[in-house]
Amino acid sequence: DTAVSQTPKYLVTQMGNDKSIKCEQNLGHDTMYWYKQDSKKFLKIMFSYNNKELIINETVPNRFSPKSPDKAHLNLHINSLELGDSAVYFCASSLRGAGGREQYFGPGTRLTVT
Amino acid sequence: KQEVTQIPAALSVPEGENLVLNCSFTDSAIYNLQWFRQDPGKGLTSLLLIQSSQREQTSGRLNASLDKSSGRSTLYIAASQPGDSATYLCAVKDTGNQFYFGTGTSLTVIP
């Protein structure tokens, strides 16, 4: 029944590794997002994506890349992990053009880089 | 359940005016409150974050205040510009990982 799900919930890994976080939504939405919440709980958008357009926040390092095998999934790949990548990452989805209130958020993935 | 509302739903002002957007929430047990802007077809851009223990935050022409006891937050925009035209959203985060978004205020700044 979960609308937006993310796996894993917790991820602990070492610097330099490559890792992926998966996101799936069963709401029939056509747009998905990745947000990063930093240690101060500030939520910042990283990517928004539908099947036509990928919008990247220019501050996101190119070590981060979204991969969408289909409309219901938007996975986040991170290469060469760094200590500063430690954060909680949230996936969200909505219908294209929907307001922020209509974005459904996943439960978050807490990434710890050691 | 937390309910977040924003007034007004839409606002149109001439360039250069100062303006205030309002956000109210029903449950004062919040972790923080964040203001976002959304441009058409895009995700949310973070503007200001106020922790539950704080009263206000400032960034450039923006100032956000928080009165947790009364369940209110305001976003003050000084010297508005056409580029400020967007939908502004407040979002309350509870002590878990739940975000509760407001209804949004659509702002149009007329050149």
Side-chain angles (χ1 to χ4, degrees), chain A residues 15-41:
Chain A
M15 285 176 58
N17 284 348
D18 302 337
K19 289 293 179 184
S20 295
I21 305 173
K22 295 184 178 180
C23 178
E24 177 181 3
Q25 53 93 8
N26 62 5
L27 298 165
H29 289 163
D30 55 11
T31 305
M32 297 183 73
Y33 312 84
W34 275 104
Y35 292 85
K36 178 181 180 181
Q37 181 181 266
D38 63 19
S39 57
K40 296 182 179 180
K41 309 298 183 185

Side-chain angles (χ1 to χ4, degrees), chain A:
Chain A
D1 291 331
T2 304
V4 182
S5 60
Q6 295 178 228
T7 54
K9 190 173 181 181
Y10 299 96
L11 179 57
V12 181
T13 188
Q14 291 183 327
M15 285 176 58
N17 284 348
D18 302 337
K19 289 293 179 184
S20 295
I21 305 173
K22 295 184 178 180
C23 178
E24 177 181 3
Q25 53 93 8
N26 62 5
L27 298 165
H29 289 163
D30 55 11
T31 305
M32 297 183 73
Y33 312 84
W34 275 104
Y35 292 85
K36 178 181 180 181
Q37 181 181 266
D38 63 19
S39 57
K40 296 182 179 180
K41 309 298 183 185
F42 202 54
L43 195 66
K44 296 181 182 178
I45 190 164
M46 301 175 70
F47 306 100
S48 65
Y49 179 79
N50 61 33
N51 59 1
K52 295 180 181 179
E53 187 178 22
L54 171 66
I55 299 175
I56 303 172
N57 184 320
E58 60 186 13
T59 65
V60 175
N62 57 14
R63 297 181 295 103
F64 290 78
S65 58
K67 306 286 186 189
S68 181
D70 55 58
K71 257 177 58 170
H73 296 82
L74 184 67
N75 303 325
L76 182 65
H77 293 263
I78 315 170
N79 295 325
S80 303
L81 278 155
E82 300 177 358
L83 292 177
D85 298 334
S86 296
V88 180
Y89 292 84
F90 287 93
C91 174
S93 74
S94 72
L95 289 173
R96 188 175 187 213
R101 194 181 204 195
E102 289 116 15
Q103 287 194 21
Y104 289 76
F105 279 77
T109 295
R110 181 175 294 278
L111 171 65
T112 303
V113 182
T114 62

Side-chain angles (χ1 to χ4, degrees), chain A residues 101, chain B residues 1-4 23 25 34 90-95 97-102:
Chain A
R101 194 181 204 195
Chain B
K1 182 186 173 185
Q2 182 73 269
E3 295 286 338
V4 184
C23 171
F25 47 95
Q34 193 160 352
C90 67
V92 167
K93 184 180 184 299
D94 66 13
T95 53
N97 274 335
Q98 286 295 317
F99 296 96
Y100 300 89
F101 280 85

